[in-house]
Amino acid sequence: VLDYSASGVIKSFEQSKARMGINKIYGLRVHDCDEETRFNKFVEPQIGGIYGLLELKKNGEIQEVSAGLNDAAYLLKLIKSCPKGSFDSVLIAGSWNLLDFSAFELLCECEENNISVHNAGIYASGLLVGGDTFRYKKAPAEIVERKDKWERLAEKYKLPLPVVAFSFASLPQCVSKIVVGVKSISELNSTISILKQSSFVPIEIWKEAKDLGLLPDFVPIPSS
């Protein structure tokens, strides 16, 4: 049962504690309220789910309130529709990577309001790590062409494309965590290796990417 009311949030919280046999949970993240009925229920003044989360935080039962939506624009709308300072963090998915910059306005809002961003989908549904999908569908030709250009640029700097993708996803100051799914020990080890290499990506690559039209003018890049 989907219940985005304050009472529903608190009931779910109590049931979760009972199932896990613990007294406290660090934080709670609301998911999938990017649909009008759910959204309106969640932000409804005084009785919406956000007020249940804020009550739990006020009482010291959780430390962090978060939200995770696939649509960056809807997530921005959510932040602006809730009391200022409601969210400690947000989870974005597939909206800030080498092929998708749709979270830009959201990132600016988070930067301004000290909201930590957890960035998932940094490989664009797998296209940037050898797959053929983008936004969970077969990648269109123009997106594949852009990926190929990124690959050639990465090769010029003697870097694997996933390393460049990981580094880019980490650039915004408000991004505090990168979320990567793994299904095996080898994938875990590969991700650790990519993480280590990502800190050595030179800033020159971002300037060249802009010159090649791979990054829009509005995307900030480090200057030093």
Side-chain angles (χ1 to χ4, degrees):
V1 177
L2 295 175
D3 188 344
Y4 286 85
S5 67
S7 59
V9 165
I10 293 172
K11 181 179 180 181
S12 177
F13 173 72
E14 295 298 338
Q15 290 175 342
S16 295
K17 285 195 302 179
R19 282 195 302 271
M20 293 187 288
I22 58 178
N23 293 323
K24 286 188 177 182
I25 294 175
Y26 174 77
L28 294 179
R29 173 175 285 151
V30 61
H31 282 272
D32 301 330
C33 59
D34 45 359
E35 180 273 331
E36 187 175 2
T37 301
R38 299 177 193 173
F39 182 91
N40 291 338
K41 189 67 175 178
F42 184 72
V43 302
E44 189 173 359
Q46 306 309 317
I47 61 173
I50 184 61
Y51 295 94
L53 291 172
L54 294 176
E55 180 180 339
L56 290 171
K57 185 179 178 183
K58 180 181 178 181
N59 294 338
E61 295 189 79
I62 62 172
Q63 296 180 49
E64 186 169 305
V65 173
S66 185
L69 282 71
N70 286 320
D71 188 328
Y74 230 112
L75 187 49
L76 177 62
K77 177 183 175 182
L78 181 66
I79 292 172
K80 291 184 174 182
S81 299
C82 292
K84 190 173 178 64
S86 291
F87 295 102
D88 301 289
S89 70
V90 295
L91 172 67
I92 61 175
S95 54
W96 191 257
N97 55 59
L98 295 178
L99 301 173
D100 190 321
F101 315 103
S102 57
F104 177 70
E105 190 177 350
L106 171 65
L107 292 175
C108 293
E109 180 76 13
C110 291
E111 184 77 31
E112 184 177 336
N113 291 282
N114 198 31
I115 299 172
S116 176
V117 175
H118 304 165
N119 192 1
I122 67 167
Y123 298 134
S125 302
L127 189 60
L128 296 172
V129 284
D132 61 358
T133 56
F134 176 69
R135 293 177 180 164
Y136 309 106
K137 298 178 181 178
K138 186 170 180 61
E142 61 270 21
I143 295 296
V144 174
E145 183 179 353
R146 284 177 55 202
K147 184 270 296 183
D148 291 342
K149 289 180 179 179
W150 271 113
E151 204 151 38
R152 289 193 290 272
L153 181 59
E155 288 172 356
K156 178 180 177 180
Y157 285 85
K158 297 181 170 56
L159 292 167
L161 183 56
V163 171
V164 178
F166 198 108
S167 178
F168 177 78
S170 310
L171 286 180
Q173 290 186 349
C174 58
V175 172
S176 63
K177 291 181 173 62
I178 299 295
V179 183
V180 178
V182 297
K183 59 180 183 289
S184 66
I185 293 176
S186 63
E187 287 190 2
L188 174 61
N189 289 334
S190 175
T191 299
I192 293 172
S193 175
I194 289 169
L195 167 63
K196 291 178 179 178
Q197 293 177 71
S198 68
S199 61
F200 297 104
V201 173
I203 61 173
E204 290 79 12
I205 195 172
W206 310 125
K207 183 180 185 304
E208 188 164 350
K210 284 205 170 188
D211 293 340
L212 292 170
L214 291 172
L215 290 178
D217 290 338
F218 63 78
V219 172
I221 57 175
S223 57
S224 60

